[in-house]
Amino acid sequence: MERAIERQRVVLQHLKPSFTSSSLENLDSSLSASVCAAGDSAAYHRTSAFGDDVVIVAAYRTALCKSKRGGFKDTYPDDLLAPVLRALIEKTNLNPSEVGDIVVGTVLAPGSQRASECRMAAFYAETVPVRTVNRQCSSGLQAVADVAAAIKAGFYDIGIGAGLESMTTNPMAWEGSVNPRVKSMAEAQNCLLPMGVTSENVAHRFNVTRQEQDQAAVESHKKAAAATASGRFKDEIIPVATKIVDPKTGDEKPVTISVDDGIRPSTTVADLAKLKPVFKKDGSTTAGNSSQVSDGAGAVLLMKRSLAMQKGLPILGVFRTFAAVGVDPAIMGVGPAVAIPAAVKSAGLELEDIDLFEINEAFASQFVYCREKLGLDPEKINVNGGAMAIGHPLGATGARCVATLLHEMKRRGKDCRFGVVSMCIGTGMGAAAVFERGDSCDELCNARKIEANNLLSKDAR
């Protein structure tokens, strides 16, 4: 209770910063404080003016489809990105000329080519400047964070953070030669390890069993299948009109893709146990307990809260903090276990204050390790399934996770205030961001109101 009272004092001082503790007794009795619903994290308070909060007013994604075999195998990358960009503009009735920039996270395509494709996609939607960013698997989240930072810095008031990957068009491969100097430093050399080998390293070093990994994969598929069947993804998925080309005849068939096509509802632990390890003869990482190679895109519309309120736009979420950390490349999958505490602490919160987590399931080994290392409640993590079922289009995953998280937080309402998106990153990094549900943080509506003089009387005790 003492920590709650101290938190109320912080809120009061934030609302009227000129007050000192000795002058609180002179406060107008009509001024009241809200009990913060953030648990016992007394450090949590707003560090900027209310209207300057960076908020998300819309977040959408395409369905995610299996690379080379799924619904987007014959779809150009720019035709994946354009529909979600267009949806942000059309569904918010925003004038495209107000968008200061679009930042697109993307990983595998040659930089200049993908930058051009993203610019082309922006033209298909509307005329807006574009740039790309690549922080491997966190690129989509990094794009969102970059836009939030630019809005905070005053470069512009409205921006779009997006993610795009066609792993059909651009498969994972190393181009050109490798600097021989890499052999002189183990950490640098480990940056070249296949991701599956790093998964085996995590499983071996931290004793994550094959049974645990397969069980995690089964749970991911079951949750994703249930979410799909109940329509929980409908608010976040933008249908994409495209084509499927028959590889034998060349005939084109027009289709509209609106459902993730990698989910296997009937997957069982017994089925997965039959799969052979891929990266190590006696290993535990298989195609069944790894993320799917996928095609897809996502996009998030951010702006200053004051502008969103002026435009009458509903606030889906508030961008609170972002953190990127470095870890040993040989066990790169542990990244979320380091990044999540860093981001949560930066927000002035504690892990138990977080109501939902979207943690990318690059591999079951690292997902299980991070969950156990942080002591997270499984009921709070990837409640609608994760990358082992839905897919992992590298550059798009961060934006996809933001859309999935915020729409689920909206569905849960007042019982869900804070959420985290996190992922491991190839070459040894982790990233995480903290979001707050959009309607949970108005100036004085977090919970019941307490009169200022009542606060003082309690404090005197």
Side-chain angles (χ1 to χ4, degrees), residues 49-58 88-89 91-95 98-101 144 147-152 156-161 300-319:
F50 178 71
D52 288 338
D53 278 343
V54 177
V55 302
I56 296 94
V57 298
L88 292 180
I89 300 299
K91 289 179 179 290
T92 58
N93 291 315
L94 191 68
N95 185 335
E98 295 182 89
V99 178
D101 203 0
V144 173
V147 170
I151 293 174
K152 278 284 188 184
Y156 45 80
D157 290 335
I158 302 175
I160 295 173
V300 179
L301 179 59
L302 302 95
M303 63 180 66
K304 291 178 66 173
R305 181 194 290 272
S306 56
L307 189 55
M309 294 173 68
Q310 178 184 323
K311 292 179 174 294
L313 293 172
I315 296 173
L316 189 59
V318 185
F319 184 94

Side-chain angles (χ1 to χ4, degrees), residues 27-106:
L27 283 174
D28 184 336
S29 61
S30 65
L31 179 62
S32 59
S34 301
V35 177
C36 180
D40 271 336
S41 292
Y44 178 75
H45 64 94
R46 297 184 187 89
T47 56
S48 63
F50 178 71
D52 288 338
D53 278 343
V54 177
V55 302
I56 296 94
V57 298
Y60 300 113
R61 68 175 179 97
T62 68
L64 304 190
C65 296
K66 294 176 287 188
S67 169
K68 299 186 183 300
R69 298 178 293 129
F72 292 139
K73 71 180 183 68
D74 300 305
T75 303
Y76 289 105
D78 37 314
D79 284 333
L80 286 175
L81 181 59
V84 289
L85 295 180
R86 188 180 303 113
L88 292 180
I89 300 299
E90 293 179 350
K91 289 179 179 290
T92 58
N93 291 315
L94 191 68
N95 185 335
S97 65
E98 295 182 89
V99 178
D101 203 0
I102 301 175
V103 182
V104 183
T106 185

Side-chain angles (χ1 to χ4, degrees), residues 5 59 69 96 98 108 136 150 156 159 173 207 215 228-229 241 281 283 325 327 345 366 368 384 389 403 411 426 434:
I5 292 172
R69 298 178 293 129
E98 295 182 89
L108 296 176
Q136 306 281 44
Y156 45 80
N207 300 312
Q215 183 62 46
T228 300
K281 187 176 181 180
V325 300
V327 299
K345 181 179 180 180
Q366 58 84 210
V368 171
N384 294 317
R411 270 189 294 275
V434 177

